[in-house]
Amino acid sequence: MAQAGIDFVKINPVVHYANVIQCRPEERYGPRMIYDYQFILVLEGRGVMKTPEGPKPALPGWLFYNRPAVKHDILPDPHFPFLLAGLHFSYWDDGGPPYPRGPYDPNRFQAQQAMAPVEFEDFAGFPCAMDCRREPALREALLEIVREYEHGRRYGSVRLSGLLKAFLAQAAQVAAHSEPGLETEHGRGADEITAYIHAHYAEDLSYDYIGRRFHFHPNHVNRLLRAYTGCSLHQYQVDIRMKRALELLVNTQRPICRIAEAVGYGDASYFARLFRQRMGYSPSQIRRYLRPDGAWPEEEKT
C-alpha cells in the first residue's frame, strides 16, 4: 500500500549504497527487483532499460528511476557497454541496513520486505526515465555522492544526507520541467522568462505581456512558469518583491513608503499587509527586531 500524505519538501533521505560500475559487454543485468529506491545514470555506453513504462533507449545523460518491488532490466549494447552510476536510497531512515536490499532475483523476492511506494502531496513523482543531458550539475551531484560514500569520512553520513537531498531536489526540478509539451522550451523559455521577471519585478507584468515579449501563448507561459517555479506569475513576482523589500528594510534607511514604491506598490498600506502575510511581521516590526540599536548602514548611492 502506498504511503500517502507525505510532503516531498520534508523528506530526510538516507543513502544505502552508491557506486560506479563498468558493465561487461556480454552480461545482461536482470530482470531484477529491489527493496528500496534507486537511480541509475548512464555515464558512457548505450543500451536499453526495460521499465514499467516500456523499453527506454539508454544513452549518456539519461537518468532512470527504479521503485521498490517493480521489475526492471538493464540491457547493455555489446559493442558500447555501459558505465553507470548507481544510487540506492530511502526517503527517510527506516532503521534498515546501510546497503542495497537484496536479493535482486524476482524468483526469490519477498514483497513484504519491500518499502511501501511513496505518493507525495506536493510532487507528482519521478518518471522511469529522464533526459538529463542538459543537466551536468545533476551528473556531478550524483558522482559526489558516490565519492563521499566510498571515502567513508568522519561526518560523512551527515554530508551524504545533505548531498542526497540536494540531488533529489535537482532531479525533481528536472522531472517538473519535463512535463509533456515543455521539454523543448524549458531550457530557453522558462530560464529567460524568470530572468526577465527578476529584472522587471517592480513593473506590471501579465501572461499576455510576457507571451508577446517571448512569442509564446499566454497559457503556455503559465504552464512554463508553474512547471519551473511551482507557482503562478503573480505569486512568483510577489515573492521576488518581498525578498527585495526585506533586503531594503534591513540594509537601508529608506522610509517604508519609498520601499513600497521601489518594489512596485504605490499603496504603502497594501504593501505592508502583503508583507505581513508573507513574512509574518510588518515592515516596521522587521526593522525593530533586526536592527534594535537603530544603527542603520549608510544609504546606498544611486
Side-chain angles (χ1 to χ4, degrees):
M1 180 179 295
Q3 298 191 21
I6 299 170
D7 288 335
F8 184 80
V9 297
K10 296 180 180 178
I11 60 173
N12 187 26
V14 177
V15 174
H16 296 166
Y17 182 70
N19 71 328
V20 172
I21 181 172
Q22 177 68 66
C23 296
R24 293 192 292 270
E26 72 282 358
E27 190 160 353
R28 170 179 178 153
Y29 298 81
R32 62 204 295 267
M33 298 172 73
I34 57 175
Y35 290 85
D36 51 5
Y37 295 86
Q38 182 188 38
F39 276 107
I40 296 176
L41 178 66
V42 181
L43 301 174
E44 298 176 9
R46 68 188 189 198
V48 173
M49 298 282 187
K50 287 189 175 180
T51 76
E53 298 172 359
K56 304 287 185 180
L59 300 170
W62 277 80
L63 183 68
F64 294 87
Y65 178 62
N66 295 317
R67 302 174 182 85
V70 177
K71 189 178 295 186
H72 58 277
D73 221 328
I74 305 173
L75 306 175
D77 186 315
H79 302 292
F80 302 93
F82 284 135
L83 179 67
L84 304 174
L87 168 65
H88 285 261
F89 70 98
S90 58
Y91 288 103
W92 54 85
D93 188 357
D94 67 342
Y99 49 76
R101 319 293 164 84
Y104 296 150
D105 184 352
N107 295 321
R108 300 170 57 200
F109 193 83
Q110 300 179 39
Q112 71 275 12
Q113 296 185 17
M115 293 182 175
V118 174
E119 292 182 0
F120 295 107
E121 292 286 338
D122 54 349
F123 175 49
F126 296 108
C128 292
M130 293 185 287
D131 183 357
C132 300
R133 287 174 292 181
R134 290 188 289 184
E135 305 290 341
L138 198 64
R139 170 192 170 109
E140 182 53 38
L142 181 50
L143 291 178
E144 184 63 20
I145 291 174
V146 173
R147 287 191 288 266
E148 186 62 52
Y149 177 85
E150 291 179 343
H151 288 168
R153 295 177 293 188
R154 191 176 186 183
Y155 312 122
S157 61
V158 178
R159 184 165 186 260
L160 269 178
S161 181
L163 290 172
L164 175 56
K165 194 167 187 177
F167 172 81
L168 291 173
Q170 286 180 282
Q173 289 175 338
V174 174
H177 303 167
S178 300
E179 179 185 336
L182 300 181
E183 300 92 334
T184 60
E185 302 293 354
H186 87 265
R188 179 178 66 87
D191 284 341
E192 292 185 358
I193 288 172
T194 53
Y196 185 85
I197 296 171
H198 274 269
H200 300 271
Y201 66 89
E203 301 174 11
D204 291 330
L205 300 177
S206 67
Y207 291 119
D208 287 335
Y209 176 81
I210 292 178
R212 291 193 301 272
R213 178 73 173 72
F214 290 92
H215 309 291
F216 290 140
H217 191 281
N219 290 342
H220 189 66
V221 175
N222 182 22
R223 291 183 63 218
L224 278 172
L225 278 176
R226 288 188 179 277
Y228 197 82
T229 69
C231 58
S232 68
L233 168 61
H234 173 72
Q235 292 168 326
Y236 189 63
Q237 187 176 10
V238 168
D239 184 61
I240 297 171
R241 288 176 170 183
M242 294 301 105
K243 289 176 180 176
R244 176 57 176 159
L246 180 62
E247 179 184 339
L248 294 173
L249 283 166
V250 173
N251 295 305
T252 78
Q253 300 180 70
R254 293 186 192 181
I256 291 174
C257 61
R258 295 289 179 261
I259 290 176
E261 293 174 357
V263 298
Y265 297 102
D267 186 338
S269 297
Y270 175 72
F271 161 73
R273 289 197 301 273
L274 196 58
F275 188 91
R276 179 190 284 274
Q277 290 173 3
R278 289 298 179 106
M279 301 297 180
Y281 296 96
S282 70
S284 58
Q285 286 175 318
I286 288 289
R287 275 198 160 160
R288 287 199 301 271
Y289 290 164
L290 298 183
R291 304 302 298 247
D293 58 356
W296 300 101
E298 292 186 5
E299 178 69 339
E300 57 190 5
K301 300 294 188 295
T302 57

